[in-house]
Amino acid sequence: MIDTGKLLMVVGGVIAVLGVVIWALGRAGFRGLPGDISYQGQNVRVYFPIVSCILLSVLLTLGMWLWRWLSGR
């Protein structure tokens, strides 16, 4: 039970740090990467972050690969 509590504390800390980073990027004027699709009509706004999703997928894949490689030693 203690291990579960520690894991929840770490996950909560990571989520909080990620939230601060996203908030700071928004305040700094970051609106997405070049290649993200955005359309703004008179009554509709559509934003599809395709390049951001691809980059996030690559980074997560590399991170998981690195974690698996380091834990296998």
Side-chain angles (χ1 to χ4, degrees):
M1 199 68 156
I2 293 174
D3 292 334
T4 304
K6 288 180 183 179
L7 178 66
L8 286 174
M9 294 281 290
V10 169
V11 169
V14 168
I15 290 173
V17 168
L18 185 62
V20 168
V21 168
I22 291 172
W23 175 78
L25 285 173
R27 297 276 299 184
F30 180 73
R31 298 287 178 236
L33 296 174
D36 289 347
I37 299 169
S38 93
Y39 170 76
Q40 186 170 355
Q42 190 173 22
N43 295 324
V44 66
R45 184 184 312 175
V46 178
Y47 179 71
F48 186 68
I50 186 72
V51 176
S52 298
C53 290
I54 292 170
L55 180 65
L56 182 63
S57 175
V58 168
L59 291 175
L60 287 174
T61 300
L62 289 174
M64 288 185 184
W65 175 83
L66 182 64
W67 181 24
R68 185 173 176 187
W69 183 70
L70 290 174
S71 67
R73 292 182 140 210

